[in-house]
Amino acid sequence: MNGLNLHVLGPFSADLDGRPLLKFRTNRVQALLIYLATEEALGASIHRREGLLDLFWPGLPEKSAYQNLRQTIYQLKRVVPDRPGENGREGVSLLRPGRQTLALNPDYPLDFDLAHFLRLVRGRPGEWAEAAALYRGDFLSDFSLPDAPTFEAWAQARRSAFRQQALDALASLAGHYSDHGLSEQALPFARRQIELEDLAETGWRQLMAALAGSGRRAEALAVYEELADHLQRELGVAPDPETRALHEAIYRDDFQPGVRPGGPLRGFELGEQLGAGSFGAVYRARQPAVGREVAVKIILPAYANDPDFIRAFEAEAQHIARLEHPHIVPLYDYWREPQNAYLVMRYLRGGSLREALAPGGWEAGRVVRLAGQIAGALDAAHRQGVIHRDLKAGNILLDEEGNAYLSDFGIARPVNGGSAGPLDGRALSSLSSVSP
């Protein structure tokens, strides 16, 4: 496209109107452009100049640092000059400077791979593959400012976060295909996880499961041996219990691939997968006996087979089922089997708040209405002794009229007394939403 094109996932590259930008006057000119574009993609549009001084020139006297910042801004405007206006209109500058602030101009044409990646990775399953394809490598894999430790710390934090988002998308894709009986299609996404993070066992497990599910049992067992050797050599540890349990199931030749859509499930007919999380996957389903559509959450075997989970599941499910409020998604049914546990809930057609927010912000009245509905739901839960513990946009669902409903109390537990629940010692919230 005409305008500025930036690529920061993998080796840095930039072009302006199709012509490569090969040279910046200094590394800080390049770094300033990267920082502003990255933070803009994350929702931080305006930056105080004093904060930029600390980021790029820590320890330098303030007067000298301000002079360097002004010179860097000047050089960046030379590298990416104003675009001429049309029909007598004023030209469009890349930057929007203020006396104490600096921001990118949203009117300047900018195509940014990271912005596309972040939008896609937060979308529906059909968009995760495109997000994974955009992730050519780690954020700023070939760029650094060794004499600016604050910038380096920022870049490393962003690098780790974006890599984890890519890994989550790849894991969701592999799980999505495996759960639908498409083990061969899951293989490349499992292998890509291992390329990005070879010490994380999720990708290795998904590779083993995909190989076993596609009839390649010997290869799945060989992958386990490769993993065991790798972990022993690099970390001096053995694979974790979940990986060992999967290996044992494959070795005994009683591995059960994921639940197949369209199959029967205790009076329900499973449809497509609606989403997946750390503890299981949610499917649209039909209940023929009463002629209604529902959502069925299938808890992963790693949790359904956990003794602590087994002890706590029914008591907690009963507690959650008693939550009655117009804006809490009702739990219709639940049960546990040797390899899985199931929760049956109301199916809401409006999707999640996270998806509804993707196109942009809401007007104030709509926000107030939603906040009141969810606050009422939380108040009702708290009065009955239940804390949600994973409140985020993805767990707020909408109906076709835009009313909001609080969902996924799967990691909630009673405030007082009783078992501590299945997740003690594990993360209690989604990392993207947990309080700092």
PDB file of all heavy atoms in Angstrom, residues 2 12 30 41-42 52 71 87 90 112 124-125 132 148 150 155 169 211 274 282 287 291 306 344 378 397-398 401:
ATOM      1  N   ASN A   2       0.340   2.367  -0.468  1.00  0.00           N
ATOM      2  CA  ASN A   2       1.052   3.618  -0.366  1.00  0.00           C
ATOM      3  C   ASN A   2       1.095   4.057   1.093  1.00  0.00           C
ATOM      4  O   ASN A   2       0.158   3.831   1.850  1.00  0.00           O
ATOM      5  CB  ASN A   2       0.368   4.701  -1.203  1.00  0.00           C
ATOM      6  CG  ASN A   2       0.609   4.498  -2.690  1.00  0.00           C
ATOM      7  OD1 ASN A   2       1.617   3.911  -3.083  1.00  0.00           O
ATOM      8  ND2 ASN A   2      -0.317   4.971  -3.513  1.00  0.00           N
ATOM      9  N   PHE A  12      13.615  -6.537  11.310  1.00  0.00           N
ATOM     10  CA  PHE A  12      12.973  -5.260  11.031  1.00  0.00           C
ATOM     11  C   PHE A  12      13.081  -4.914   9.548  1.00  0.00           C
ATOM     12  O   PHE A  12      14.117  -5.105   8.915  1.00  0.00           O
ATOM     13  CB  PHE A  12      13.638  -4.142  11.845  1.00  0.00           C
ATOM     14  CG  PHE A  12      13.120  -2.771  11.515  1.00  0.00           C
ATOM     15  CD1 PHE A  12      11.965  -2.294  12.107  1.00  0.00           C
ATOM     16  CD2 PHE A  12      13.779  -1.967  10.598  1.00  0.00           C
ATOM     17  CE1 PHE A  12      11.473  -1.032  11.803  1.00  0.00           C
ATOM     18  CE2 PHE A  12      13.306  -0.703  10.281  1.00  0.00           C
ATOM     19  CZ  PHE A  12      12.146  -0.232  10.885  1.00  0.00           C
ATOM     20  N   GLN A  30      15.295   5.134  14.475  1.00  0.00           N
ATOM     21  CA  GLN A  30      14.572   3.893  14.187  1.00  0.00           C
ATOM     22  C   GLN A  30      13.810   3.407  15.419  1.00  0.00           C
ATOM     23  O   GLN A  30      12.647   3.003  15.330  1.00  0.00           O
ATOM     24  CB  GLN A  30      15.564   2.827  13.732  1.00  0.00           C
ATOM     25  CG  GLN A  30      14.947   1.511  13.314  1.00  0.00           C
ATOM     26  CD  GLN A  30      16.015   0.538  12.797  1.00  0.00           C
ATOM     27  OE1 GLN A  30      17.150   0.936  12.520  1.00  0.00           O
ATOM     28  NE2 GLN A  30      15.648  -0.717  12.681  1.00  0.00           N
ATOM     29  N   ALA A  41      -0.250   0.524  18.598  1.00  0.00           N
ATOM     30  CA  ALA A  41      -0.967  -0.733  18.342  1.00  0.00           C
ATOM     31  C   ALA A  41      -1.533  -1.330  19.622  1.00  0.00           C
ATOM     32  O   ALA A  41      -2.528  -2.059  19.586  1.00  0.00           O
ATOM     33  CB  ALA A  41      -0.041  -1.737  17.660  1.00  0.00           C
ATOM     34  N   LEU A  42      -0.900  -1.021  20.752  1.00  0.00           N
ATOM     35  CA  LEU A  42      -1.348  -1.536  22.042  1.00  0.00           C
ATOM     36  C   LEU A  42      -2.343  -0.603  22.724  1.00  0.00           C
ATOM     37  O   LEU A  42      -2.806  -0.892  23.827  1.00  0.00           O
ATOM     38  CB  LEU A  42      -0.148  -1.771  22.958  1.00  0.00           C
ATOM     39  CG  LEU A  42       0.771  -2.922  22.539  1.00  0.00           C
ATOM     40  CD1 LEU A  42       2.090  -2.855  23.290  1.00  0.00           C
ATOM     41  CD2 LEU A  42       0.081  -4.263  22.785  1.00  0.00           C
ATOM     42  N   LEU A  52       9.959   9.776  27.313  1.00  0.00           N
ATOM     43  CA  LEU A  52      10.825   9.363  26.210  1.00  0.00           C
ATOM     44  C   LEU A  52      12.291   9.613  26.547  1.00  0.00           C
ATOM     45  O   LEU A  52      13.178   8.860  26.120  1.00  0.00           O
ATOM     46  CB  LEU A  52      10.436  10.109  24.934  1.00  0.00           C
ATOM     47  CG  LEU A  52       9.020   9.823  24.411  1.00  0.00           C
ATOM     48  CD1 LEU A  52       8.714  10.708  23.218  1.00  0.00           C
ATOM     49  CD2 LEU A  52       8.862   8.360  24.044  1.00  0.00           C
ATOM     50  N   GLN A  71      16.297  16.566  18.114  1.00  0.00           N
ATOM     51  CA  GLN A  71      17.047  16.205  16.923  1.00  0.00           C
ATOM     52  C   GLN A  71      16.560  14.870  16.348  1.00  0.00           C
ATOM     53  O   GLN A  71      16.466  14.709  15.118  1.00  0.00           O
ATOM     54  CB  GLN A  71      18.547  16.105  17.266  1.00  0.00           C
ATOM     55  CG  GLN A  71      19.449  15.802  16.093  1.00  0.00           C
ATOM     56  CD  GLN A  71      19.486  16.921  15.060  1.00  0.00           C
ATOM     57  OE1 GLN A  71      19.127  18.057  15.355  1.00  0.00           O
ATOM     58  NE2 GLN A  71      19.908  16.604  13.849  1.00  0.00           N
ATOM     59  N   ASN A  87      -6.108  18.573  -3.163  1.00  0.00           N
ATOM     60  CA  ASN A  87      -7.111  19.625  -3.376  1.00  0.00           C
ATOM     61  C   ASN A  87      -6.890  20.820  -2.460  1.00  0.00           C
ATOM     62  O   ASN A  87      -7.824  21.355  -1.858  1.00  0.00           O
ATOM     63  CB  ASN A  87      -8.517  19.066  -3.172  1.00  0.00           C
ATOM     64  CG  ASN A  87      -8.840  17.917  -4.121  1.00  0.00           C
ATOM     65  OD1 ASN A  87      -8.411  17.940  -5.277  1.00  0.00           O
ATOM     66  ND2 ASN A  87      -9.564  16.926  -3.633  1.00  0.00           N
ATOM     67  N   GLU A  90      -3.874  20.833   3.641  1.00  0.00           N
ATOM     68  CA  GLU A  90      -2.566  20.787   4.282  1.00  0.00           C
ATOM     69  C   GLU A  90      -2.019  19.361   4.254  1.00  0.00           C
ATOM     70  O   GLU A  90      -2.773  18.387   4.307  1.00  0.00           O
ATOM     71  CB  GLU A  90      -2.713  21.272   5.728  1.00  0.00           C
ATOM     72  CG  GLU A  90      -1.397  21.396   6.479  1.00  0.00           C
ATOM     73  CD  GLU A  90      -1.600  21.903   7.892  1.00  0.00           C
ATOM     74  OE1 GLU A  90      -2.737  22.287   8.224  1.00  0.00           O
ATOM     75  OE2 GLU A  90      -0.622  21.914   8.650  1.00  0.00           O
ATOM     76  N   PHE A 112       1.089  -1.857   9.601  1.00  0.00           N
ATOM     77  CA  PHE A 112       2.001  -2.335  10.644  1.00  0.00           C
ATOM     78  C   PHE A 112       1.683  -3.791  10.941  1.00  0.00           C
ATOM     79  O   PHE A 112       0.569  -4.125  11.347  1.00  0.00           O
ATOM     80  CB  PHE A 112       1.805  -1.464  11.879  1.00  0.00           C
ATOM     81  CG  PHE A 112       2.814  -1.665  12.973  1.00  0.00           C
ATOM     82  CD1 PHE A 112       4.114  -2.080  12.706  1.00  0.00           C
ATOM     83  CD2 PHE A 112       2.463  -1.407  14.288  1.00  0.00           C
ATOM     84  CE1 PHE A 112       5.036  -2.244  13.718  1.00  0.00           C
ATOM     85  CE2 PHE A 112       3.379  -1.561  15.316  1.00  0.00           C
ATOM     86  CZ  PHE A 112       4.676  -1.983  15.025  1.00  0.00           C
ATOM     87  N   ARG A 124     -11.510 -14.586  16.233  1.00  0.00           N
ATOM     88  CA  ARG A 124     -12.100 -15.925  16.248  1.00  0.00           C
ATOM     89  C   ARG A 124     -11.096 -16.957  15.730  1.00  0.00           C
ATOM     90  O   ARG A 124     -10.077 -16.591  15.147  1.00  0.00           O
ATOM     91  CB  ARG A 124     -13.360 -15.941  15.388  1.00  0.00           C
ATOM     92  CG  ARG A 124     -14.506 -15.120  15.985  1.00  0.00           C
ATOM     93  CD  ARG A 124     -15.757 -15.245  15.137  1.00  0.00           C
ATOM     94  NE  ARG A 124     -16.881 -14.546  15.749  1.00  0.00           N
ATOM     95  CZ  ARG A 124     -17.678 -15.085  16.674  1.00  0.00           C
ATOM     96  NH1 ARG A 124     -17.464 -16.328  17.066  1.00  0.00           N
ATOM     97  NH2 ARG A 124     -18.680 -14.404  17.187  1.00  0.00           N
ATOM     98  N   PRO A 125     -11.370 -18.262  15.940  1.00  0.00           N
ATOM     99  CA  PRO A 125     -10.435 -19.296  15.496  1.00  0.00           C
ATOM    100  C   PRO A 125     -10.007 -19.172  14.038  1.00  0.00           C
ATOM    101  O   PRO A 125      -8.862 -19.457  13.703  1.00  0.00           O
ATOM    102  CB  PRO A 125     -11.213 -20.593  15.750  1.00  0.00           C
ATOM    103  CG  PRO A 125     -12.106 -20.269  16.899  1.00  0.00           C
ATOM    104  CD  PRO A 125     -12.501 -18.830  16.701  1.00  0.00           C
ATOM    105  N   ALA A 132      -0.766 -16.393  13.204  1.00  0.00           N
ATOM    106  CA  ALA A 132       0.445 -17.210  13.318  1.00  0.00           C
ATOM    107  C   ALA A 132       1.363 -17.009  12.114  1.00  0.00           C
ATOM    108  O   ALA A 132       2.587 -16.980  12.250  1.00  0.00           O
ATOM    109  CB  ALA A 132       0.067 -18.681  13.461  1.00  0.00           C
ATOM    110  N   ALA A 148      20.885   1.868  26.029  1.00  0.00           N
ATOM    111  CA  ALA A 148      19.603   2.376  26.538  1.00  0.00           C
ATOM    112  C   ALA A 148      18.893   1.239  27.261  1.00  0.00           C
ATOM    113  O   ALA A 148      17.973   0.612  26.714  1.00  0.00           O
ATOM    114  CB  ALA A 148      18.738   2.925  25.402  1.00  0.00           C
ATOM    115  N   THR A 150      16.661   1.003  29.544  1.00  0.00           N
ATOM    116  CA  THR A 150      15.214   1.100  29.734  1.00  0.00           C
ATOM    117  C   THR A 150      14.482   0.666  28.471  1.00  0.00           C
ATOM    118  O   THR A 150      13.480  -0.063  28.533  1.00  0.00           O
ATOM    119  CB  THR A 150      14.816   2.536  30.107  1.00  0.00           C
ATOM    120  OG1 THR A 150      15.627   2.990  31.191  1.00  0.00           O
ATOM    121  CG2 THR A 150      13.357   2.599  30.520  1.00  0.00           C
ATOM    122  N   ALA A 155      11.649  -3.542  25.309  1.00  0.00           N
ATOM    123  CA  ALA A 155      11.609  -4.421  24.142  1.00  0.00           C
ATOM    124  C   ALA A 155      11.536  -5.891  24.565  1.00  0.00           C
ATOM    125  O   ALA A 155      10.799  -6.682  23.959  1.00  0.00           O
ATOM    126  CB  ALA A 155      12.833  -4.182  23.258  1.00  0.00           C
ATOM    127  N   ALA A 169      -1.900 -18.706  20.283  1.00  0.00           N
ATOM    128  CA  ALA A 169      -2.661 -18.880  19.042  1.00  0.00           C
ATOM    129  C   ALA A 169      -2.344 -20.222  18.400  1.00  0.00           C
ATOM    130  O   ALA A 169      -3.242 -20.932  17.931  1.00  0.00           O
ATOM    131  CB  ALA A 169      -2.347 -17.744  18.077  1.00  0.00           C
ATOM    132  N   LEU A 211       0.216 -36.763  16.363  1.00  0.00           N
ATOM    133  CA  LEU A 211       0.796 -37.942  15.717  1.00  0.00           C
ATOM    134  C   LEU A 211       0.017 -39.202  16.086  1.00  0.00           C
ATOM    135  O   LEU A 211      -0.289 -40.034  15.225  1.00  0.00           O
ATOM    136  CB  LEU A 211       2.268 -38.077  16.103  1.00  0.00           C
ATOM    137  CG  LEU A 211       3.215 -37.048  15.491  1.00  0.00           C
ATOM    138  CD1 LEU A 211       4.585 -37.092  16.167  1.00  0.00           C
ATOM    139  CD2 LEU A 211       3.372 -37.278  13.984  1.00  0.00           C
ATOM    140  N   LEU A 274     -16.631 -23.039  19.857  1.00  0.00           N
ATOM    141  CA  LEU A 274     -16.812 -21.590  19.969  1.00  0.00           C
ATOM    142  C   LEU A 274     -15.566 -20.898  20.487  1.00  0.00           C
ATOM    143  O   LEU A 274     -15.341 -19.717  20.225  1.00  0.00           O
ATOM    144  CB  LEU A 274     -17.990 -21.281  20.899  1.00  0.00           C
ATOM    145  CG  LEU A 274     -19.345 -21.854  20.480  1.00  0.00           C
ATOM    146  CD1 LEU A 274     -20.382 -21.611  21.564  1.00  0.00           C
ATOM    147  CD2 LEU A 274     -19.794 -21.242  19.162  1.00  0.00           C
ATOM    148  N   VAL A 282     -15.068 -24.787  24.535  1.00  0.00           N
ATOM    149  CA  VAL A 282     -16.514 -24.584  24.572  1.00  0.00           C
ATOM    150  C   VAL A 282     -17.082 -24.862  23.183  1.00  0.00           C
ATOM    151  O   VAL A 282     -16.556 -24.370  22.184  1.00  0.00           O
ATOM    152  CB  VAL A 282     -16.874 -23.153  25.016  1.00  0.00           C
ATOM    153  CG1 VAL A 282     -18.389 -22.977  25.039  1.00  0.00           C
ATOM    154  CG2 VAL A 282     -16.285 -22.857  26.393  1.00  0.00           C
ATOM    155  N   GLN A 287     -29.706 -29.694  22.239  1.00  0.00           N
ATOM    156  CA  GLN A 287     -30.316 -30.640  23.165  1.00  0.00           C
ATOM    157  C   GLN A 287     -31.670 -31.056  22.580  1.00  0.00           C
ATOM    158  O   GLN A 287     -32.686 -30.396  22.794  1.00  0.00           O
ATOM    159  CB  GLN A 287     -30.490 -29.996  24.550  1.00  0.00           C
ATOM    160  CG  GLN A 287     -30.853 -30.969  25.645  1.00  0.00           C
ATOM    161  CD  GLN A 287     -30.866 -30.297  27.009  1.00  0.00           C
ATOM    162  OE1 GLN A 287     -30.772 -29.074  27.104  1.00  0.00           O
ATOM    163  NE2 GLN A 287     -30.993 -31.092  28.057  1.00  0.00           N
ATOM    164  N   GLY A 291     -35.310 -29.307  22.539  1.00  0.00           N
ATOM    165  CA  GLY A 291     -35.261 -28.448  21.371  1.00  0.00           C
ATOM    166  C   GLY A 291     -34.581 -27.114  21.587  1.00  0.00           C
ATOM    167  O   GLY A 291     -35.058 -26.083  21.107  1.00  0.00           O
ATOM    168  N   ASP A 306      -7.490 -34.862  37.757  1.00  0.00           N
ATOM    169  CA  ASP A 306      -6.738 -34.403  38.924  1.00  0.00           C
ATOM    170  C   ASP A 306      -7.532 -34.750  40.185  1.00  0.00           C
ATOM    171  O   ASP A 306      -8.707 -34.374  40.310  1.00  0.00           O
ATOM    172  CB  ASP A 306      -6.526 -32.885  38.807  1.00  0.00           C
ATOM    173  CG  ASP A 306      -5.653 -32.337  39.911  1.00  0.00           C
ATOM    174  OD1 ASP A 306      -5.904 -32.631  41.100  1.00  0.00           O
ATOM    175  OD2 ASP A 306      -4.734 -31.581  39.590  1.00  0.00           O
ATOM    176  N   VAL A 344     -22.821 -27.487  31.132  1.00  0.00           N
ATOM    177  CA  VAL A 344     -23.788 -27.120  30.101  1.00  0.00           C
ATOM    178  C   VAL A 344     -24.415 -25.786  30.494  1.00  0.00           C
ATOM    179  O   VAL A 344     -24.984 -25.654  31.585  1.00  0.00           O
ATOM    180  CB  VAL A 344     -24.884 -28.192  29.939  1.00  0.00           C
ATOM    181  CG1 VAL A 344     -25.857 -27.797  28.832  1.00  0.00           C
ATOM    182  CG2 VAL A 344     -24.250 -29.542  29.643  1.00  0.00           C
ATOM    183  N   LEU A 378     -21.986  -9.455  39.569  1.00  0.00           N
ATOM    184  CA  LEU A 378     -20.917  -9.681  40.542  1.00  0.00           C
ATOM    185  C   LEU A 378     -21.437  -9.536  41.970  1.00  0.00           C
ATOM    186  O   LEU A 378     -21.075 -10.316  42.862  1.00  0.00           O
ATOM    187  CB  LEU A 378     -19.768  -8.694  40.293  1.00  0.00           C
ATOM    188  CG  LEU A 378     -18.900  -8.969  39.073  1.00  0.00           C
ATOM    189  CD1 LEU A 378     -17.977  -7.789  38.808  1.00  0.00           C
ATOM    190  CD2 LEU A 378     -18.079 -10.245  39.266  1.00  0.00           C
ATOM    191  N   LEU A 397     -20.411 -12.237  27.991  1.00  0.00           N
ATOM    192  CA  LEU A 397     -21.087 -12.608  26.752  1.00  0.00           C
ATOM    193  C   LEU A 397     -22.279 -11.693  26.507  1.00  0.00           C
ATOM    194  O   LEU A 397     -22.824 -11.094  27.450  1.00  0.00           O
ATOM    195  CB  LEU A 397     -21.540 -14.075  26.812  1.00  0.00           C
ATOM    196  CG  LEU A 397     -20.440 -15.101  27.078  1.00  0.00           C
ATOM    197  CD1 LEU A 397     -21.019 -16.510  27.073  1.00  0.00           C
ATOM    198  CD2 LEU A 397     -19.302 -14.979  26.074  1.00  0.00           C
ATOM    199  N   LEU A 398     -22.687 -11.603  25.255  1.00  0.00           N
ATOM    200  CA  LEU A 398     -23.766 -10.703  24.863  1.00  0.00           C
ATOM    201  C   LEU A 398     -24.865 -11.475  24.143  1.00  0.00           C
ATOM    202  O   LEU A 398     -24.591 -12.438  23.418  1.00  0.00           O
ATOM    203  CB  LEU A 398     -23.232  -9.609  23.929  1.00  0.00           C
ATOM    204  CG  LEU A 398     -22.031  -8.801  24.433  1.00  0.00           C
ATOM    205  CD1 LEU A 398     -21.527  -7.877  23.331  1.00  0.00           C
ATOM    206  CD2 LEU A 398     -22.385  -8.007  25.674  1.00  0.00           C
ATOM    207  N   GLU A 401     -29.541  -8.571  21.659  1.00  0.00           N
ATOM    208  CA  GLU A 401     -29.926  -7.190  21.940  1.00  0.00           C
ATOM    209  C   GLU A 401     -28.808  -6.403  22.612  1.00  0.00           C
ATOM    210  O   GLU A 401     -28.989  -5.233  22.952  1.00  0.00           O
ATOM    211  CB  GLU A 401     -31.174  -7.141  22.848  1.00  0.00           C
ATOM    212  CG  GLU A 401     -32.468  -7.509  22.155  1.00  0.00           C
ATOM    213  CD  GLU A 401     -32.569  -9.001  21.841  1.00  0.00           C
ATOM    214  OE1 GLU A 401     -32.216  -9.815  22.724  1.00  0.00           O
ATOM    215  OE2 GLU A 401     -32.946  -9.366  20.710  1.00  0.00           O
TER     216      GLU A 401
END
